[in-house]
Amino acid sequence: MTPAKNRQIVVAEIPKGKLAPENFRLVESPLPAPADGEVLVRVRLISIDAANRAWMQGVTYRDAVTAGQVMAGLAVAEVVDSKAPSIAAGDLVFADTGWQEYAILPARKLGKVPKLEPMTHLISIYGIAGLTAYFGLLRIGDPRPGETVVVSAAAGSVGSIVGQIARIKGCRAVGIAGGKAKCDWLVQHLGFDAAVDYKAGALPKALKEAAPNGIDVYFDNVGGGILEACLFQMNNGGRIACCGFISAYDVASPPAGPRGVPSVIVFKRLTMKGFILTDFYAERDKAIAELGSWLKAGNLKIEEDVIDGLENAPRALIGLIAGENRGKRMVRVG
Ligand SMILES: NC(=O)c1ccc[n+]([C@@H]2O[C@H](COP(=O)([O-])OP(=O)(O)OC[C@H]3O[C@@H](n4cnc5c(N)ncnc54)[C@H](OP(=O)(O)O)[C@@H]3O)[C@@H](O)[C@H]2O)c1
């Protein structure tokens, strides 16, 4: 049965500086029935990602989000009605449904996911967070036992898992996060070897104390000054996995920099490589199995930050950029 009405969060205006609630509008609209080859889904959990904000800045690895459209966002959703043979009502899927209660999408744009409990794990450990941490660290960072791995935005969804995988692989894990409470949590709860509060100032000195043997792998979620500080403390032959640059997502014009590019990269024979999670989708099943085995064995802790209500999605994203979250933030829609 197709419900008559849909609730959607629409982009009212592309932000010129910091993202604000006024950049979004909640609307109610009629819901048509799916056409041939299409599927109607009910959105259950929306993944709130720093990248959502980056998509509003222009074309990235996907089309830009523009004013007037439903805010883009990845979600776990349940199939309500299907006009495609490959998908049936009741199936659970992962897709870019956008921020809305229901979506009608071509069947080819949906990825079936297993029904597991808790469903939130499909967004956290088995979703973007876990897979980005897994592939970014292991395939781009290439950590070896005994090495030092530093990760920024360490108390966030990707970073909190990166540090734990580094420990599993026999490395020293150092997190960079904002505030003492997050740093204490990284060490005391997640088992990081050390954590550095970048908001406390004197980052280079604090980093040197936390990583006295230098940095072999830097997993960069932030860019800017934190990337620069890490760059100068890299060991010869070190690897920098460029995952994101959140310090430049919510500003009118990103600052120039960092210093040390390319000089330090040359002198220290560093490898700096960007990646997008989807580059590794073909290997997803293997990654999910391994992440699951670490979780079961108690070697990996997953922190989920679930906010209820579609209407709260804008403030969930604004708060994520401000550093409100620990672990994977998501919005429960229904
Ligand atoms: N390449 C890929 O395929 C891929 C996939 C997923 C995510 N990512 C990237 O991974 C990074 C993390 O994204 P996420 O969605 O998982 O968010 P998240 O890490 O759960 O949350 C973002 C965190 O970033 C920190 N932060 C915000 N502004 C900062 C700044 N100016 N300097 C330092 N830290 C800052 C905040 O924590 P503090 O309190 O510590 O400041 C905040 O909690 C982003 O760069 C994102 O683009 C990339």
Side-chain angles (χ1 to χ4, degrees):
M1 263 293 282
T2 303
K5 282 219 159 78
N6 196 10
R7 287 200 319 149
Q8 305 173 305
I9 305 277
V10 167
V11 178
E13 193 191 7
I14 293 296
K16 294 188 181 70
K18 274 196 162 314
L19 189 64
E22 302 73 58
N23 296 124
F24 301 97
R25 193 172 53 231
L26 178 66
V27 300
E28 243 186 40
S29 48
L31 192 61
D36 276 354
E38 287 183 338
V39 176
L40 169 71
V41 298
R42 178 164 78 95
V43 177
R44 303 291 307 274
L45 291 165
I46 296 173
S47 177
I48 299 295
D49 295 296
N52 299 154
R53 175 65 183 91
W55 300 341
M56 301 174 98
Q57 286 186 324
V59 178
T60 52
Y61 48 89
R62 55 157 288 149
D63 293 345
V65 170
T66 53
Q69 76 175 90
V70 173
M71 179 59 192
L74 298 160
V76 170
E78 194 177 331
V79 175
V80 177
D81 188 8
S82 174
K83 297 284 185 287
S86 55
I87 302 224
D91 282 348
L92 219 50
V93 295
F94 188 70
D96 184 351
T97 62
W99 290 5
Q100 52 187 337
E101 285 178 340
Y102 292 91
I104 293 174
L105 295 165
R108 64 186 154 75
K109 293 206 165 170
L110 307 176
K112 264 198 229 183
V113 290
K115 288 181 182 164
L116 56 79
E117 285 300 329
M119 190 190 281
T120 50
H121 278 14
L122 292 169
I123 295 277
S124 60
I125 178 164
Y126 304 126
I128 298 167
L131 295 173
T132 301
Y134 181 94
F135 289 119
L137 180 62
L138 299 182
R139 297 294 297 280
I140 308 289
D142 187 22
R144 297 149 207 176
E147 288 190 332
T148 296
V149 173
V150 173
V151 58
S152 50
S157 79
V158 176
S160 60
I161 301 176
V162 167
Q164 294 183 77
I165 298 178
R167 292 279 304 148
I168 290 168
K169 294 293 173 184
C171 299
R172 176 175 176 79
V174 177
I176 302 175
K180 183 176 182 317
K182 279 190 178 179
C183 289
D184 287 348
W185 177 73
L186 288 173
V187 174
Q188 289 159 17
H189 183 68
L190 296 188
F192 281 51
D193 294 283
V196 172
D197 174 8
Y198 75 91
K199 290 184 175 165
L203 180 60
K205 182 169 174 283
L207 254 182
K208 205 157 260 165
E209 283 165 14
N213 298 325
I215 303 170
D216 299 294
V217 177
Y218 171 49
F219 191 106
D220 188 23
N221 283 319
V222 170
I226 293 180
L227 169 59
E228 183 177 303
C230 290
L231 200 50
F232 282 94
Q233 295 192 32
M234 294 296 296
N235 290 327
N236 285 349
R239 286 83 62 202
I240 300 179
C242 296
C243 177
F245 47 101
I246 193 169
S247 67
Y249 292 174
D250 202 31
V251 293
S253 55
R259 288 176 300 174
V261 178
S263 54
V264 177
I265 296 173
V266 177
F267 302 150
K268 296 191 172 183
R269 294 83 155 174
L270 304 179
T271 305
M272 206 170 172
K273 191 166 193 275
F275 71 97
I276 296 295
L277 164 62
T278 45
D279 302 344
F280 299 101
Y281 257 18
E283 300 165 59
R284 195 172 24 173
D285 289 350
K286 178 179 165 275
I288 286 174
E290 194 156 28
L291 287 162
S293 71
W294 290 333
L295 187 68
K296 228 181 237 159
N299 297 327
L300 199 55
K301 289 182 182 153
I302 294 303
E303 184 78 9
E304 295 173 339
D305 171 16
V306 184
I307 293 177
D308 281 309
L310 175 71
E311 63 283 2
N312 291 319
R315 82 157 184 81
L317 179 58
I318 292 165
L320 176 122
I321 296 161
E324 268 175 14
N325 64 306
R326 272 186 203 178
K328 178 66 212 166
R329 176 162 275 199
M330 62 190 92
V331 166
R332 196 192 317 273
V333 178

